[in-house]
Amino acid sequence: MKKYNKKDSCSYALGATLTIEMLEHKIEYAKRVYFHSTLERNETVLKIEEVCRKNNIPIIQSDKVFRVLSEKENCYIIGEFQKFESKLSKDKNHIVLVNPSNSGNLGTIIRSMVGFGIYDLAIIKPAVDIFDLKTIRASMGAIFNIRFSYFDSFSDYSKEYKNNYYPFMLQAKEKLALTKFKTPFSLIFGNEATGLPKEFLNIGESVIISHSKNIDSLNLTIAASIAIYESTKNNFNNR
Amino acid sequence: MKKYNKKDSCSYALGATLTIEMLEHKIEYAKRVYFHSTLERNETVLKIEEVCRKNNIPIIQSDKVFRVLSEKENCYIIGEFQKFESKLSKDKNHIVLVNPSNSGNLGTIIRSMVGFGIYDLAIIKPAVDIFDLKTIRASMGAIFNIRFSYFDSFSDYSKEYKNNYYPFMLQAKEKLALTKFKTPFSLIFGNEATGLPKEFLNIGESVIISHSKNIDSLNLTIAASIAIYESTKNNFNNR
């Protein structure tokens, strides 16, 4: 047992809530579940035991895995699963993240996507590992609800997926609240520190979330989540 | 020199960007600026030196303070300042955070507030310390742009500030995109894990940001930022 490494073929859902999400949505990838020796039996635990029994997923009691993987957290259940990746859906709205570099941010954006009904995520390399334990935790399990693929470049992505592209950039002219999003769309966001390269101004319709001069930019997770909210609110919710 | 503690009378802006924001907006609270011995002179550094000279703020070269305060970061300038607090403006829009418990979240929300032109923040105790170094960093310096006060309870706040109250709650009926915000307003948000207590359903007009059943809730910083965006976009920007 060693610390999680992005080259591993498996990753881990830390805690009961994440483990349940994993079992519910990705049972075919579940390898085993670890229980801590001090775990107290409650409804959630019984549910996990039942799901594991029915699906022949071993439950292993071991405290060592908790010391290695979860460090300081109050974590008594860990779900181990085989990593997965899946083709994006061609007729659906997508989120495209170009070179995301922060694991927690990636997870938070996935949580917002699922919150507003977008289930397809393209990640352009170089990029953080979507199976980093911090990403899984920040997604609150929403990662088990989405389809996602990594691409070597945006052009690799765009060859395959002909959505209406909306790159979000500080240099754009079209304001978010005035943008009429044509479905299926792809909302495209750049790296936390550098944003999207200028050439994205020539791709699709670039959009800006106007803000006061007293900040340089919005936080990436905030910008992406506001854009997702605004682009989905008419057809999905909040009306 | 010891690690920052919330009981200290001073706090610190880590890095050149935060130090400049502090000097620009809160020069009257600036106590001293520390330079690391490996700091390279550039325009920003010259600007800081000039501001300090003009305002009699000592510049101290010391590497120890960096080891104590900034740990792993690439940080070569630290601005020390006296803590401040200020009365909120009565005729302006406010953000009210009830029992926020995460320092980074508090800073990110402050960045979004300033981004969308809200400059008054009420914090209801118990709550994290707004001068925690993580809060200051997550705010990207926006903390030096706002007025804020701590209150022992929401009723202490509401006795003094008679804004139109909009508590954000999962149990609310009014949907965000349909809400007509009457100014001056106060957008009210609960704790990260527990949200607002039920009695807030009887205060002002409660609002929900509708989301899919595939997540339990939105991240607090995301919910607050979307609400701030939506409530300000007509009069401030994005139109």
Side-chain angles (χ1 to χ4, degrees):
Chain A
M1 197 72 223
K2 50 188 172 43
K3 280 203 177 299
Y4 170 76
N5 182 295
K6 67 178 178 182
K7 287 175 187 159
D8 298 345
S9 63
C10 291
S11 186
Y12 304 90
L14 302 187
T17 310
L18 296 186
T19 300
I20 285 208
E21 290 287 323
M22 186 270 285
L23 294 172
E24 212 161 275
H25 299 286
K26 291 286 184 236
I27 187 88
E28 66 274 33
Y29 295 97
K31 301 240 326 182
R32 56 184 70 83
V33 171
Y34 295 95
F35 280 4
H36 194 271
S37 58
T38 61
L39 174 68
E40 285 172 28
R41 259 57 184 175
N42 60 22
E43 240 179 80
T44 309
V45 176
L46 294 177
K47 188 179 160 191
I48 290 176
E49 285 183 323
E50 196 193 327
V51 173
C52 287
R53 197 173 47 242
K54 277 191 187 161
N55 294 277
N56 288 317
I57 296 161
I59 292 178
I60 293 164
Q61 190 167 306
S62 153
D63 291 1
K64 195 182 174 201
V65 63
F66 291 83
R67 283 196 300 275
V68 172
L69 293 173
S70 81
E71 294 174 2
K72 297 166 216 160
E73 295 155 71
N74 284 342
C75 172
Y76 303 100
I77 297 181
I78 292 178
E80 181 176 345
F81 60 91
Q82 185 79 36
K83 290 181 181 177
F84 51 88
E85 193 166 334
S86 44
K87 285 233 143 203
L88 308 186
S89 191
K90 291 228 177 204
D91 54 343
K92 297 283 172 54
N93 298 328
H94 295 178
I95 300 300
V96 180
L97 299 179
V98 179
N99 313 143
S101 65
N102 179 293
S103 310
N105 285 353
L106 178 56
T108 302
I109 292 171
I110 293 171
R111 182 174 172 192
S112 293
M113 287 174 55
V114 171
F116 294 124
I118 299 184
Y119 296 96
D120 290 271
L121 172 65
I123 303 172
I124 313 300
K125 294 183 202 173
V128 282
D129 169 25
I130 197 169
F131 290 113
D132 189 286
L133 307 193
K134 278 186 216 141
T135 307
I136 298 172
R137 190 174 47 213
S139 86
M140 296 290 276
I143 187 178
F144 302 114
N145 258 299
I146 62 165
R147 292 172 289 272
F148 70 88
S149 291
Y150 279 86
F151 297 85
D152 285 329
S153 66
F154 182 77
S155 75
D156 280 4
Y157 165 78
S158 64
K159 266 176 226 151
E160 207 168 335
Y161 299 100
K162 304 292 180 194
N163 278 3
N164 299 299
Y165 301 134
Y166 296 92
F168 281 74
M169 310 178 68
L170 291 173
Q171 307 94 323
K173 283 194 181 144
E174 180 78 5
K175 292 179 173 184
L176 174 60
L178 297 178
T179 305
K180 305 266 178 239
F181 291 94
K182 295 180 213 90
T183 56
F185 57 70
S186 297
L187 310 183
I188 308 165
F189 303 91
N191 171 268
E192 284 85 350
T194 57
L196 286 172
K198 273 188 191 164
E199 52 264 35
F200 278 86
L201 282 171
N202 305 316
I203 292 173
E205 271 183 62
S206 61
V207 181
I208 182 171
I209 307 175
S210 309
H211 59 71
S212 80
K213 286 176 190 156
N214 288 322
I215 64 168
D216 287 332
S217 66
L218 293 163
N219 170 297
L220 172 65
T221 62
I222 300 297
S225 300
I226 289 173
I228 295 169
Y229 161 80
E230 183 70 79
S231 64
T232 59
K233 73 180 181 188
N234 286 320
N235 46 1
F236 169 67
N237 65 10
N238 279 304
R239 286 279 185 209
Chain B
M1 197 71 223
K2 50 188 174 40
K3 280 203 178 299
Y4 170 75
N5 181 295
K6 67 178 177 182
K7 288 177 187 159
D8 297 346
S9 63
C10 290
S11 185
Y12 306 89
L14 302 187
T17 310
L18 296 186
T19 299
I20 285 210
E21 290 287 323
M22 186 270 287
L23 293 172
E24 211 159 277
H25 299 285
K26 292 286 183 235
I27 187 88
E28 66 273 33
Y29 296 98
K31 300 240 328 181
R32 57 184 68 82
V33 171
Y34 295 95
F35 281 3
H36 194 270
S37 58
T38 62
L39 174 69
E40 285 172 28
R41 260 59 185 173
N42 60 21
E43 240 180 80
T44 310
V45 176
L46 294 176
K47 189 179 158 190
I48 289 176
E49 286 182 325
E50 196 193 329
V51 173
C52 287
R53 197 174 47 244
K54 278 191 187 161
N55 294 276
N56 290 317
I57 296 162
I59 292 178
I60 294 165
Q61 190 167 306
S62 153
D63 291 0
K64 196 182 174 202
V65 63
F66 291 83
R67 283 197 299 276
V68 172
L69 293 174
S70 81
E71 295 174 0
K72 298 166 214 160
E73 296 155 69
N74 285 343
C75 172
Y76 303 100
I77 297 180
I78 292 178
E80 181 176 345
F81 60 91
Q82 184 79 36
K83 290 182 183 178
F84 51 88
E85 192 166 334
S86 45
K87 284 234 144 204
L88 308 186
S89 192
K90 292 228 177 204
D91 54 341
K92 296 285 173 52
N93 298 328
H94 295 179
I95 300 299
V96 180
L97 299 179
V98 179
N99 313 142
S101 65
N102 179 292
S103 311
N105 285 352
L106 177 56
T108 303
I109 292 171
I110 293 171
R111 183 174 172 193
S112 292
M113 284 174 56
V114 172
F116 294 123
I118 299 184
Y119 295 95
D120 290 270
L121 172 65
I123 302 173
I124 313 299
K125 293 182 202 173
V128 283
D129 170 25
I130 198 168
F131 290 114
D132 190 286
L133 307 192
K134 277 184 218 143
T135 307
I136 298 172
R137 189 174 49 212
S139 86
M140 297 291 277
I143 188 177
F144 301 114
N145 258 299
I146 61 165
R147 292 172 289 273
F148 70 87
S149 290
Y150 278 87
F151 297 85
D152 285 329
S153 66
F154 182 77
S155 75
D156 279 5
Y157 165 78
S158 64
K159 265 176 227 152
E160 207 167 336
Y161 298 100
K162 304 291 180 195
N163 277 4
N164 299 300
Y165 302 134
Y166 296 92
F168 280 75
M169 310 177 69
L170 292 173
Q171 307 94 323
K173 282 193 182 145
E174 181 79 6
K175 291 178 173 183
L176 174 60
L178 297 178
T179 305
K180 306 268 179 238
F181 291 94
K182 295 179 212 89
T183 56
F185 57 70
S186 297
L187 309 183
I188 307 166
F189 302 92
N191 171 268
E192 285 85 350
T194 57
L196 285 172
K198 272 188 192 166
E199 51 264 34
F200 278 85
L201 282 171
N202 305 316
I203 293 172
E205 269 183 64
S206 61
V207 181
I208 181 169
I209 307 175
S210 309
H211 59 71
S212 80
K213 286 176 189 155
N214 288 322
I215 64 168
D216 286 333
S217 66
L218 293 163
N219 171 298
L220 172 66
T221 61
I222 300 297
S225 300
I226 289 174
I228 295 168
Y229 161 80
E230 183 70 79
S231 64
T232 59
K233 73 180 181 188
N234 286 320
N235 46 0
F236 169 68
N237 65 9
N238 280 301
R239 288 279 184 208

PDB file of all heavy atoms in Angstrom, chain A residues 62-86:
ATOM      1  N   SER A  62      -9.012  -2.823   7.167  1.00  0.00           N
ATOM      2  CA  SER A  62      -7.590  -2.505   7.244  1.00  0.00           C
ATOM      3  C   SER A  62      -7.452  -1.054   7.644  1.00  0.00           C
ATOM      4  O   SER A  62      -8.040  -0.173   7.018  1.00  0.00           O
ATOM      5  CB  SER A  62      -6.934  -2.717   5.880  1.00  0.00           C
ATOM      6  OG  SER A  62      -5.807  -1.880   5.767  1.00  0.00           O
ATOM      7  N   ASP A  63      -6.696  -0.792   8.696  1.00  0.00           N
ATOM      8  CA  ASP A  63      -6.506   0.601   9.091  1.00  0.00           C
ATOM      9  C   ASP A  63      -5.348   1.259   8.363  1.00  0.00           C
ATOM     10  O   ASP A  63      -5.271   2.476   8.257  1.00  0.00           O
ATOM     11  CB  ASP A  63      -6.273   0.694  10.610  1.00  0.00           C
ATOM     12  CG  ASP A  63      -7.546   0.340  11.369  1.00  0.00           C
ATOM     13  OD1 ASP A  63      -8.553   0.012  10.710  1.00  0.00           O
ATOM     14  OD2 ASP A  63      -7.521   0.385  12.608  1.00  0.00           O
ATOM     15  N   LYS A  64      -4.464   0.412   7.812  1.00  0.00           N
ATOM     16  CA  LYS A  64      -3.265   0.963   7.204  1.00  0.00           C
ATOM     17  C   LYS A  64      -3.608   1.846   5.994  1.00  0.00           C
ATOM     18  O   LYS A  64      -3.051   2.925   5.821  1.00  0.00           O
ATOM     19  CB  LYS A  64      -2.345  -0.183   6.777  1.00  0.00           C
ATOM     20  CG  LYS A  64      -0.947   0.313   6.477  1.00  0.00           C
ATOM     21  CD  LYS A  64      -0.018  -0.768   6.011  1.00  0.00           C
ATOM     22  CE  LYS A  64       1.310  -0.143   5.584  1.00  0.00           C
ATOM     23  NZ  LYS A  64       2.056  -1.007   4.691  1.00  0.00           N
ATOM     24  N   VAL A  65      -4.553   1.351   5.176  1.00  0.00           N
ATOM     25  CA  VAL A  65      -4.921   2.092   3.966  1.00  0.00           C
ATOM     26  C   VAL A  65      -5.429   3.493   4.314  1.00  0.00           C
ATOM     27  O   VAL A  65      -5.208   4.456   3.580  1.00  0.00           O
ATOM     28  CB  VAL A  65      -5.959   1.288   3.140  1.00  0.00           C
ATOM     29  CG1 VAL A  65      -7.243   1.088   3.909  1.00  0.00           C
ATOM     30  CG2 VAL A  65      -6.231   1.950   1.815  1.00  0.00           C
ATOM     31  N   PHE A  66      -6.061   3.622   5.469  1.00  0.00           N
ATOM     32  CA  PHE A  66      -6.545   4.938   5.897  1.00  0.00           C
ATOM     33  C   PHE A  66      -5.382   5.853   6.273  1.00  0.00           C
ATOM     34  O   PHE A  66      -5.384   7.031   5.940  1.00  0.00           O
ATOM     35  CB  PHE A  66      -7.527   4.788   7.075  1.00  0.00           C
ATOM     36  CG  PHE A  66      -8.824   4.149   6.655  1.00  0.00           C
ATOM     37  CD1 PHE A  66      -8.936   2.765   6.563  1.00  0.00           C
ATOM     38  CD2 PHE A  66      -9.908   4.928   6.304  1.00  0.00           C
ATOM     39  CE1 PHE A  66     -10.121   2.177   6.151  1.00  0.00           C
ATOM     40  CE2 PHE A  66     -11.096   4.350   5.885  1.00  0.00           C
ATOM     41  CZ  PHE A  66     -11.199   2.960   5.805  1.00  0.00           C
ATOM     42  N   ARG A  67      -4.397   5.283   6.958  1.00  0.00           N
ATOM     43  CA  ARG A  67      -3.229   6.085   7.328  1.00  0.00           C
ATOM     44  C   ARG A  67      -2.489   6.562   6.081  1.00  0.00           C
ATOM     45  O   ARG A  67      -2.022   7.685   6.015  1.00  0.00           O
ATOM     46  CB  ARG A  67      -2.271   5.269   8.200  1.00  0.00           C
ATOM     47  CG  ARG A  67      -2.739   5.130   9.653  1.00  0.00           C
ATOM     48  CD  ARG A  67      -1.595   4.653  10.558  1.00  0.00           C
ATOM     49  NE  ARG A  67      -1.060   3.355  10.173  1.00  0.00           N
ATOM     50  CZ  ARG A  67      -1.572   2.178  10.552  1.00  0.00           C
ATOM     51  NH1 ARG A  67      -2.643   2.143  11.320  1.00  0.00           N
ATOM     52  NH2 ARG A  67      -1.034   1.048  10.159  1.00  0.00           N
ATOM     53  N   VAL A  68      -2.403   5.692   5.094  1.00  0.00           N
ATOM     54  CA  VAL A  68      -1.660   6.029   3.880  1.00  0.00           C
ATOM     55  C   VAL A  68      -2.418   7.039   3.014  1.00  0.00           C
ATOM     56  O   VAL A  68      -1.838   7.988   2.503  1.00  0.00           O
ATOM     57  CB  VAL A  68      -1.358   4.754   3.061  1.00  0.00           C
ATOM     58  CG1 VAL A  68      -0.764   5.119   1.705  1.00  0.00           C
ATOM     59  CG2 VAL A  68      -0.439   3.838   3.839  1.00  0.00           C
ATOM     60  N   LEU A  69      -3.712   6.844   2.851  1.00  0.00           N
ATOM     61  CA  LEU A  69      -4.454   7.639   1.874  1.00  0.00           C
ATOM     62  C   LEU A  69      -5.146   8.874   2.429  1.00  0.00           C
ATOM     63  O   LEU A  69      -5.268   9.876   1.742  1.00  0.00           O
ATOM     64  CB  LEU A  69      -5.510   6.776   1.180  1.00  0.00           C
ATOM     65  CG  LEU A  69      -5.008   5.656   0.276  1.00  0.00           C
ATOM     66  CD1 LEU A  69      -6.178   4.811  -0.186  1.00  0.00           C
ATOM     67  CD2 LEU A  69      -4.261   6.221  -0.930  1.00  0.00           C
ATOM     68  N   SER A  70      -5.630   8.800   3.661  1.00  0.00           N
ATOM     69  CA  SER A  70      -6.534   9.890   4.043  1.00  0.00           C
ATOM     70  C   SER A  70      -5.965  10.853   5.068  1.00  0.00           C
ATOM     71  O   SER A  70      -6.588  11.862   5.364  1.00  0.00           O
ATOM     72  CB  SER A  70      -7.856   9.327   4.544  1.00  0.00           C
ATOM     73  OG  SER A  70      -7.751   8.914   5.879  1.00  0.00           O
ATOM     74  N   GLU A  71      -4.794  10.557   5.612  1.00  0.00           N
ATOM     75  CA  GLU A  71      -4.130  11.471   6.538  1.00  0.00           C
ATOM     76  C   GLU A  71      -5.038  12.008   7.648  1.00  0.00           C
ATOM     77  O   GLU A  71      -5.446  11.281   8.535  1.00  0.00           O
ATOM     78  CB  GLU A  71      -3.441  12.609   5.775  1.00  0.00           C
ATOM     79  CG  GLU A  71      -2.289  12.063   4.929  1.00  0.00           C
ATOM     80  CD  GLU A  71      -1.658  13.116   4.028  1.00  0.00           C
ATOM     81  OE1 GLU A  71      -2.062  14.269   4.075  1.00  0.00           O
ATOM     82  OE2 GLU A  71      -0.728  12.757   3.272  1.00  0.00           O
ATOM     83  N   LYS A  72      -5.366  13.324   7.539  1.00  0.00           N
ATOM     84  CA  LYS A  72      -5.971  13.960   8.714  1.00  0.00           C
ATOM     85  C   LYS A  72      -7.493  13.821   8.806  1.00  0.00           C
ATOM     86  O   LYS A  72      -8.113  14.236   9.759  1.00  0.00           O
ATOM     87  CB  LYS A  72      -5.640  15.446   8.720  1.00  0.00           C
ATOM     88  CG  LYS A  72      -4.159  15.736   8.849  1.00  0.00           C
ATOM     89  CD  LYS A  72      -3.889  17.191   8.505  1.00  0.00           C
ATOM     90  CE  LYS A  72      -2.577  17.364   7.796  1.00  0.00           C
ATOM     91  NZ  LYS A  72      -2.443  18.577   7.042  1.00  0.00           N
ATOM     92  N   GLU A  73      -8.095  13.285   7.759  1.00  0.00           N
ATOM     93  CA  GLU A  73      -9.548  13.385   7.713  1.00  0.00           C
ATOM     94  C   GLU A  73     -10.285  12.343   8.552  1.00  0.00           C
ATOM     95  O   GLU A  73      -9.783  11.281   8.823  1.00  0.00           O
ATOM     96  CB  GLU A  73      -9.998  13.254   6.268  1.00  0.00           C
ATOM     97  CG  GLU A  73      -9.499  14.401   5.431  1.00  0.00           C
ATOM     98  CD  GLU A  73      -9.410  13.982   3.984  1.00  0.00           C
ATOM     99  OE1 GLU A  73     -10.485  13.813   3.401  1.00  0.00           O
ATOM    100  OE2 GLU A  73      -8.293  13.798   3.478  1.00  0.00           O
ATOM    101  N   ASN A  74     -11.490  12.680   8.898  1.00  0.00           N
ATOM    102  CA  ASN A  74     -12.367  11.720   9.548  1.00  0.00           C
ATOM    103  C   ASN A  74     -12.957  10.811   8.489  1.00  0.00           C
ATOM    104  O   ASN A  74     -14.049  11.029   7.994  1.00  0.00           O
ATOM    105  CB  ASN A  74     -13.523  12.449  10.250  1.00  0.00           C
ATOM    106  CG  ASN A  74     -13.056  13.096  11.515  1.00  0.00           C
ATOM    107  OD1 ASN A  74     -12.004  12.741  12.047  1.00  0.00           O
ATOM    108  ND2 ASN A  74     -13.842  14.040  11.997  1.00  0.00           N
ATOM    109  N   CYS A  75     -12.234   9.784   8.158  1.00  0.00           N
ATOM    110  CA  CYS A  75     -12.613   8.934   7.033  1.00  0.00           C
ATOM    111  C   CYS A  75     -12.584   7.495   7.503  1.00  0.00           C
ATOM    112  O   CYS A  75     -11.554   7.019   7.989  1.00  0.00           O
ATOM    113  CB  CYS A  75     -11.615   9.187   5.897  1.00  0.00           C
ATOM    114  SG  CYS A  75     -11.771   8.069   4.517  1.00  0.00           S
ATOM    115  N   TYR A  76     -13.701   6.785   7.387  1.00  0.00           N
ATOM    116  CA  TYR A  76     -13.788   5.414   7.902  1.00  0.00           C
ATOM    117  C   TYR A  76     -14.125   4.401   6.808  1.00  0.00           C
ATOM    118  O   TYR A  76     -14.182   3.209   7.061  1.00  0.00           O
ATOM    119  CB  TYR A  76     -14.819   5.337   9.037  1.00  0.00           C
ATOM    120  CG  TYR A  76     -14.494   6.303  10.151  1.00  0.00           C
ATOM    121  CD1 TYR A  76     -15.155   7.525  10.259  1.00  0.00           C
ATOM    122  CD2 TYR A  76     -13.487   6.002  11.065  1.00  0.00           C
ATOM    123  CE1 TYR A  76     -14.826   8.426  11.271  1.00  0.00           C
ATOM    124  CE2 TYR A  76     -13.148   6.889  12.077  1.00  0.00           C
ATOM    125  CZ  TYR A  76     -13.822   8.097  12.177  1.00  0.00           C
ATOM    126  OH  TYR A  76     -13.492   8.986  13.163  1.00  0.00           O
ATOM    127  N   ILE A  77     -14.392   4.913   5.612  1.00  0.00           N
ATOM    128  CA  ILE A  77     -14.694   4.038   4.472  1.00  0.00           C
ATOM    129  C   ILE A  77     -13.930   4.555   3.262  1.00  0.00           C
ATOM    130  O   ILE A  77     -13.889   5.773   3.034  1.00  0.00           O
ATOM    131  CB  ILE A  77     -16.205   4.034   4.148  1.00  0.00           C
ATOM    132  CG1 ILE A  77     -16.998   3.472   5.337  1.00  0.00           C
ATOM    133  CG2 ILE A  77     -16.494   3.239   2.882  1.00  0.00           C
ATOM    134  CD1 ILE A  77     -18.487   3.419   5.102  1.00  0.00           C
ATOM    135  N   ILE A  78     -13.310   3.652   2.518  1.00  0.00           N
ATOM    136  CA  ILE A  78     -12.640   4.043   1.283  1.00  0.00           C
ATOM    137  C   ILE A  78     -13.071   3.081   0.178  1.00  0.00           C
ATOM    138  O   ILE A  78     -13.070   1.864   0.371  1.00  0.00           O
ATOM    139  CB  ILE A  78     -11.102   3.994   1.434  1.00  0.00           C
ATOM    140  CG1 ILE A  78     -10.617   5.085   2.400  1.00  0.00           C
ATOM    141  CG2 ILE A  78     -10.409   4.150   0.068  1.00  0.00           C
ATOM    142  CD1 ILE A  78      -9.115   5.095   2.646  1.00  0.00           C
ATOM    143  N   GLY A  79     -13.465   3.622  -0.960  1.00  0.00           N
ATOM    144  CA  GLY A  79     -13.835   2.790  -2.100  1.00  0.00           C
ATOM    145  C   GLY A  79     -12.735   2.827  -3.143  1.00  0.00           C
ATOM    146  O   GLY A  79     -12.368   3.903  -3.618  1.00  0.00           O
ATOM    147  N   GLU A  80     -12.196   1.667  -3.494  1.00  0.00           N
ATOM    148  CA  GLU A  80     -11.154   1.610  -4.529  1.00  0.00           C
ATOM    149  C   GLU A  80     -11.812   1.261  -5.854  1.00  0.00           C
ATOM    150  O   GLU A  80     -12.649   0.355  -5.932  1.00  0.00           O
ATOM    151  CB  GLU A  80     -10.116   0.542  -4.158  1.00  0.00           C
ATOM    152  CG  GLU A  80      -8.990   0.450  -5.174  1.00  0.00           C
ATOM    153  CD  GLU A  80      -7.893  -0.538  -4.759  1.00  0.00           C
ATOM    154  OE1 GLU A  80      -7.849  -0.937  -3.580  1.00  0.00           O
ATOM    155  OE2 GLU A  80      -7.101  -0.919  -5.639  1.00  0.00           O
ATOM    156  N   PHE A  81     -11.415   1.973  -6.898  1.00  0.00           N
ATOM    157  CA  PHE A  81     -12.012   1.683  -8.211  1.00  0.00           C
ATOM    158  C   PHE A  81     -10.965   1.784  -9.309  1.00  0.00           C
ATOM    159  O   PHE A  81      -9.971   2.491  -9.187  1.00  0.00           O
ATOM    160  CB  PHE A  81     -13.183   2.634  -8.500  1.00  0.00           C
ATOM    161  CG  PHE A  81     -12.791   4.087  -8.525  1.00  0.00           C
ATOM    162  CD1 PHE A  81     -12.402   4.710  -9.711  1.00  0.00           C
ATOM    163  CD2 PHE A  81     -12.798   4.851  -7.355  1.00  0.00           C
ATOM    164  CE1 PHE A  81     -12.040   6.050  -9.734  1.00  0.00           C
ATOM    165  CE2 PHE A  81     -12.425   6.186  -7.367  1.00  0.00           C
ATOM    166  CZ  PHE A  81     -12.041   6.789  -8.555  1.00  0.00           C
ATOM    167  N   GLN A  82     -11.222   1.033 -10.364  1.00  0.00           N
ATOM    168  CA  GLN A  82     -10.423   1.075 -11.570  1.00  0.00           C
ATOM    169  C   GLN A  82     -10.697   2.399 -12.275  1.00  0.00           C
ATOM    170  O   GLN A  82     -11.844   2.820 -12.373  1.00  0.00           O
ATOM    171  CB  GLN A  82     -10.891  -0.094 -12.463  1.00  0.00           C
ATOM    172  CG  GLN A  82     -10.119  -0.312 -13.725  1.00  0.00           C
ATOM    173  CD  GLN A  82      -8.814  -1.044 -13.419  1.00  0.00           C
ATOM    174  OE1 GLN A  82      -8.785  -1.906 -12.546  1.00  0.00           O
ATOM    175  NE2 GLN A  82      -7.765  -0.671 -14.123  1.00  0.00           N
ATOM    176  N   LYS A  83      -9.659   3.061 -12.746  1.00  0.00           N
ATOM    177  CA  LYS A  83      -9.888   4.313 -13.467  1.00  0.00           C
ATOM    178  C   LYS A  83     -10.650   4.068 -14.760  1.00  0.00           C
ATOM    179  O   LYS A  83     -10.522   3.010 -15.371  1.00  0.00           O
ATOM    180  CB  LYS A  83      -8.557   4.982 -13.777  1.00  0.00           C
ATOM    181  CG  LYS A  83      -7.876   5.514 -12.534  1.00  0.00           C
ATOM    182  CD  LYS A  83      -6.565   6.182 -12.899  1.00  0.00           C
ATOM    183  CE  LYS A  83      -5.861   6.687 -11.665  1.00  0.00           C
ATOM    184  NZ  LYS A  83      -4.546   7.285 -12.015  1.00  0.00           N
ATOM    185  N   PHE A  84     -11.412   5.055 -15.172  1.00  0.00           N
ATOM    186  CA  PHE A  84     -12.240   4.914 -16.370  1.00  0.00           C
ATOM    187  C   PHE A  84     -12.138   6.187 -17.200  1.00  0.00           C
ATOM    188  O   PHE A  84     -11.668   7.224 -16.734  1.00  0.00           O
ATOM    189  CB  PHE A  84     -13.696   4.653 -15.969  1.00  0.00           C
ATOM    190  CG  PHE A  84     -14.233   5.642 -14.966  1.00  0.00           C
ATOM    191  CD1 PHE A  84     -14.815   6.832 -15.378  1.00  0.00           C
ATOM    192  CD2 PHE A  84     -14.110   5.398 -13.596  1.00  0.00           C
ATOM    193  CE1 PHE A  84     -15.276   7.752 -14.446  1.00  0.00           C
ATOM    194  CE2 PHE A  84     -14.562   6.335 -12.653  1.00  0.00           C
ATOM    195  CZ  PHE A  84     -15.152   7.499 -13.088  1.00  0.00           C
ATOM    196  N   GLU A  85     -12.535   6.113 -18.403  1.00  0.00           N
ATOM    197  CA  GLU A  85     -12.610   7.285 -19.281  1.00  0.00           C
ATOM    198  C   GLU A  85     -13.662   6.919 -20.311  1.00  0.00           C
ATOM    199  O   GLU A  85     -13.869   5.735 -20.590  1.00  0.00           O
ATOM    200  CB  GLU A  85     -11.244   7.548 -19.950  1.00  0.00           C
ATOM    201  CG  GLU A  85     -11.173   8.898 -20.616  1.00  0.00           C
ATOM    202  CD  GLU A  85      -9.742   9.364 -21.011  1.00  0.00           C
ATOM    203  OE1 GLU A  85      -8.760   8.924 -20.392  1.00  0.00           O
ATOM    204  OE2 GLU A  85      -9.647  10.160 -21.961  1.00  0.00           O
ATOM    205  N   SER A  86     -14.360   7.910 -20.848  1.00  0.00           N
ATOM    206  CA  SER A  86     -15.431   7.533 -21.769  1.00  0.00           C
ATOM    207  C   SER A  86     -15.577   8.561 -22.864  1.00  0.00           C
ATOM    208  O   SER A  86     -15.250   9.724 -22.681  1.00  0.00           O
ATOM    209  CB  SER A  86     -16.733   7.387 -21.002  1.00  0.00           C
ATOM    210  OG  SER A  86     -16.882   8.463 -20.109  1.00  0.00           O
TER     211      SER A  86
END
